[in-house]
Every structure is written in structure tokens, then in C-alpha cells.
Amino acid sequence: MAEQINPWSSTPKMDINRLIADFGIEPFASVKEKITDPPVFIRRDIVAGHRGYNAVADAIAEKKPFHVLTGFMPSGHPHFGHLMVMKEVVWHIQQGGKGFISMADREAHAVRGLSWDACDQYAREYMECLYALGFSGEIYSQRRNNALKDLAFEAATKVNFSELSAIYGFRPETELAHAVSVSMQVADILYPQLTAGVAPTVVPVGIDQDPHIRLTRDITNALRMFLVEDRGTHISIRVKNAPKEALDAVAKRFSGSKKYEGHIDLPAGHTFEETDAIVREVEREFGGFGFLLPSATYHSFLQGLQGGKMSSSVPDSLVWFDDPDKDVKKKIMGALTGGRQTLEEQKKLGGEPEKCSIYQLNRFHMQEDDKELSEMCRACKAGELMCGTCKKETLERVRNFLREFKEKRDEVAHMVEW
Ligand code: TRP
């Protein structure tokens, strides 16, 4: 049986390929070719998995409406580990998506015990970073968004405690507020469709967030009034939880359909997508939501500078955007690399960039130029590029990035409004 993923653990051990096999996440390679002019995180397979991304890739290609939403728990300062998701959101907005960010203050309060004031302070930092990277759209706080809270309550009617313990390992002593924060995240993921129209929605996340995505997709199905099924020979529309009038209304929309007790069969010639869209429209007329299944992309994690996972509990494993220069220097120059024991050995055998936190930092963020990156990789493996030189060059790139990022943050600081 597949193991559980705990999204609140600070040290999840997660091999993205195993997750793909165990949890039915699809490899991103299956949709990669649909993306013209792919950004770094797609070109370099940093985004490694997805659920339902075809709908989003098609919307991008056909210039149809779609949404992009992600959330941040404002429980600490933003750092390099958050940059990938931020860039993914901004890129999707540039591709025509409507952007949404949830500041998960309820989750931070319930799970990490942060005060509301502390949540607000951290949230402002995240917002500044997002605007500095080019974000535009809606940023909201979970606790101040009434429509979201209503949606979370509605979502909560479709999940029970045994499902929560199967998915998250919740136990009798788990606080109720923790469970409520789960329903908040489900509502976050569906919120763009509630407020800005039913459309494909992509949720860029790290793979540790997959349990929330799975649960949300289950709840999205459970919230439907009808089940539309492609039976091969024809399409059948089955009542799950719909008033009788809604079934009559659906039947009226398809001439030549046959209405039975609890289901309708359509004559040949209808496609699944077209039928489902009409049925979802009727659901909304009768007070339902008619949401499309949300999609997700999963990126692999940036390796910590000390080798393991980037984690705020290991201070030298990561660089915070506001770190003083002397700390940045200490962390980069002291990072664990893929270098050999001795200089001699390294010249002879070459380094191991796959294992190197500095190389990975360049691959994720510090070297946008593919040619330069592959030259770096080649020279390292050939034993021509030594770790000291490479770290110094990377440090300069990190310094430049941090300086420019700070300047941009100052320019957009006035946009942060709470
Ligand atoms: N749980 C996420 C985290 O720990 C934050 C989050 C809240 C989120 N709501 C979301 C992520 C909606 C994606 C979508 O970082």
C-alpha cells in the first residue's frame, strides 16, 4: 500500500518518481510538448508531475480563460524554497491565467500556533515578493474571506474523519481547527471558480501538497449533482444529488434524450466535454457549483545547502531573501557540494553536480541560460571547475539577485495593503 504523505512534516522524504508510481500523479513529460517556449522549470524537468494539466495546457494554447492559485502559510520569512512556486504562478499569469494567492493564516494559526499579527506580518513579506516577481491578481487572507469560509463549510459536508485519517493520518487527538484548515485549503483551490467563473485551475505546489489536491478533486466530484459518463456507445447522465426539476431541466437541454428514473441517456453525437459543460451549467442554475476538477503541477524540492531538505529548522540549509550579506556568504561558501575529498581526486574524477546543492541552486534559479548551465555541468564533471571557484561565482549571482530583488520589493511595497 502507498504510504501517507504528511504535508505538515518539515522533513518529508519524497522521491517524486515513487510518488508518481504510488499516488497516480502523472509525469509532466506527458504534457511537456504542449508548451511552446517552456520556462526554466519545465525545460529542466523541475516540474516533474501533474494532475489534469492537459486542461490548462489546452486553455493556454487556445487562449481560453483559466486560473492559477497557490497558497503560502505565513509562518516564517519567505526564502529561496518558495521562489519556484512564485515563479510558476507568475508565468501562468503571463500565459493568460487569472492569478490568486491564499495567505493561509488559518492554517498557520491552527497548525503552527502563530498569532494573527505574526501571520499578517509574514504575509506582507510574501506579498511583496510576489508583486516584485510580477504577480497581478487577488491575494486574500483565509480568515478575512467570507465567501471562502462558506465554501469551506460546504466542502466540509463532503468529507468525514475516517477519510481525513486515511489521507493525513489524523488521530482522535488532532485538533478540530487542523481539520478545518484542511477544508480551507480545499476551498482555496476551488475559490477561483467560485469568484471568477468556472474554468480550468492550476495549483502549482511542491509534491508534499498532493494529499490536499487529491482530497479537493474527490470533493469536487462529490459536490456535483450529476455524474456524466461516456459509455462508449452513448453518454449517460446520472443523478447523484439533484432535485427532480434539475433532471427535467437537463433532459430539456438535449433533444432526443431518453429520461429514466434517476438517469438520462443521450442519443449518439454528443461529446463528453460539451455534455458535461451543459450539465454543469444546469447545476449552477439549481444552486450547485458545477466546478471543473482542479489541476496541479508538482515541482521537486530545491536541495538544502547542507545536503538534506531545505528547512527552516536547519538555518544553514537555506538563504532567506532578507539575510544579511555575511550570512549569505557563509551559507554559500559553506555549502555541501558534489566535490571530492581532495583537489587531486576532483581533478581526476570530476565533481558530481547531481548531488551538489550549489549546482542545483543554479539549475533552479541562478543560471537561466541553458548553455551556461550545461557548460558548468560539463566543466565540473571534467574536473576543470573546482568547488571554490564555482561557489564564488554562484555567490556573486546570488548577491546580484538579492540586490535586484530587494530593489524591486521596495518599488512595489506600496501595493501591499494589509
Ligand atoms: N498548505 C500549504 C503550505 O503548507 C499552503 C496552502 C494553503 C496552499 N492553501 C493552499 C497551497 C492552496 C496550495 C493551494 O504551504
Side-chain angles (χ1 to χ4, degrees):
M1 207 191 88
E3 276 172 55
Q4 281 173 341
I5 304 172
N6 179 357
W8 299 282
S9 149
S10 60
T11 50
K13 36 175 190 7
M14 269 172 307
D15 167 358
I16 199 156
N17 295 316
R18 257 205 48 211
L19 289 179
I20 287 174
D22 284 358
F23 290 99
I25 293 173
E26 290 196 54
F28 201 80
S30 66
V31 284
K32 196 172 168 181
E33 78 220 19
K34 286 194 173 181
I35 313 291
T36 44
D37 200 9
V40 160
F41 51 83
I42 294 179
R43 288 203 306 273
R44 297 182 186 166
D45 300 323
I46 294 165
V47 166
H50 77 97
R51 285 188 195 271
Y53 194 77
N54 272 299
V56 177
D58 291 343
I60 295 175
E62 294 160 22
K63 302 202 182 320
K64 293 202 173 129
F66 73 97
H67 308 304
V68 53
L69 171 135
T70 198
F72 298 96
M73 231 207 283
S75 59
H77 300 291
H79 56 70
F80 268 85
H82 300 112
L83 196 52
M84 185 50 65
V85 156
M86 291 184 177
K87 286 180 175 176
E88 283 184 71
V89 170
V90 170
W91 181 80
H92 279 99
I93 292 169
Q94 289 162 351
Q95 305 313 302
K98 240 181 199 304
F100 296 84
I101 298 289
S102 166
M103 284 299 161
D105 46 8
R106 275 191 149 189
E107 186 181 0
H109 188 71
V111 182
R112 302 265 189 259
L114 263 86
S115 74
W116 298 118
D117 279 352
C119 288
D120 280 347
Q121 274 187 20
Y122 289 130
R124 282 185 213 108
E125 294 180 25
Y126 281 88
M127 289 164 82
E128 207 176 271
C129 291
L130 282 155
Y131 288 131
L133 290 167
F135 176 85
S136 64
E138 181 180 345
I139 304 183
Y140 60 82
S141 121
Q142 286 181 331
R143 78 179 193 276
R144 296 191 181 95
N145 188 333
N146 283 328
L148 182 84
K149 288 188 274 188
D150 288 345
L151 182 57
F153 190 78
E154 207 63 51
T157 66
K158 301 295 178 196
V159 57
N160 61 37
F161 275 92
S162 70
E163 286 165 295
L164 290 179
S165 51
I167 298 175
Y168 301 103
F170 280 7
R171 300 221 296 264
E173 58 272 27
T174 303
E175 289 85 3
L176 184 53
H178 195 159
V180 172
S181 80
V182 167
S183 73
M184 293 305 294
Q185 179 148 350
V186 170
D188 281 334
I189 295 170
L190 296 172
Y191 176 74
Q193 301 194 68
L194 181 78
T195 177
V198 170
T201 305
V202 57
V203 184
V205 281
I207 40 181
D208 62 322
Q209 297 295 305
D210 183 54
H212 298 303
I213 304 290
R214 263 185 278 140
L215 177 65
T216 307
R217 286 167 64 95
D218 286 350
I219 289 179
T220 307
N221 280 328
L223 286 169
R224 291 289 305 269
M225 290 181 177
F226 296 97
L227 178 67
V228 180
E229 287 175 309
D230 193 339
R231 290 287 177 87
T233 49
H234 66 284
I235 291 187
S236 151
I237 303 165
R238 194 165 288 279
V239 173
K240 276 161 46 108
N241 187 13
K244 199 188 143 302
E245 298 74 27
L247 184 67
D248 297 340
V250 169
K252 262 202 213 124
R253 298 289 290 264
F254 298 97
S255 59
S257 60
K258 282 205 196 96
K259 194 164 94 150
Y260 302 92
E261 184 71 23
H263 83 276
I264 298 173
D265 284 342
L266 300 193
H270 293 281
T271 66
F272 174 83
E273 280 75 21
E274 164 228 357
T275 309
D276 196 49
I278 292 171
V279 172
R280 282 186 288 101
E281 227 173 83
V282 174
E283 288 185 16
R284 286 199 299 286
E285 278 165 26
F286 285 84
F289 296 108
F291 292 140
L292 284 169
L293 273 187
S295 315
T297 57
Y298 303 96
H299 66 82
S300 45
F301 289 112
L302 184 52
Q303 201 180 317
L305 296 172
Q306 294 301 314
K309 203 202 161 209
M310 262 196 184
S311 163
S312 38
S313 54
V314 186
D316 283 351
S317 71
L318 54 87
V319 172
W320 270 281
F321 296 135
D322 287 322
D323 263 349
D325 185 65
K326 67 169 192 354
D327 291 359
V328 176
K329 184 174 174 194
K330 184 178 130 238
K331 291 177 191 180
I332 299 290
M333 296 311 287
L336 194 80
T337 66
R340 305 286 174 173
Q341 296 289 340
T342 66
L343 211 59
E344 283 313 295
E345 232 184 291
Q346 177 139 356
K347 281 185 183 156
K348 206 166 85 201
L349 300 171
E352 296 179 288
E354 321 68 48
K355 292 189 187 164
C356 177
S357 65
I358 292 292
Y359 179 74
Q360 294 306 332
L361 186 60
N362 281 284
R363 183 168 86 96
F364 272 57
H365 296 299
M366 288 299 119
Q367 185 51 272
E368 294 248 326
D369 187 318
D370 289 350
K371 282 211 194 91
E372 298 264 349
L373 186 77
S374 57
E375 170 53 21
M376 181 179 185
C377 186
R378 187 205 61 77
C380 170
K381 284 182 170 165
E384 293 165 22
L385 178 60
M386 296 298 123
C387 295
T389 315
C390 184
K391 281 177 172 173
K392 271 191 210 132
E393 289 170 1
T394 304
L395 176 61
E396 281 323 301
R397 285 197 279 274
V398 173
R399 281 175 165 156
N400 283 339
F401 167 80
L402 288 176
R403 192 179 352 91
E404 281 170 26
F405 197 40
K406 181 80 191 101
E407 281 167 19
K408 282 201 205 112
R409 282 176 64 176
D410 291 343
E411 278 167 32
V412 300
H414 67 277
M415 295 169 80
V416 176
E417 275 170 350
W418 86 54

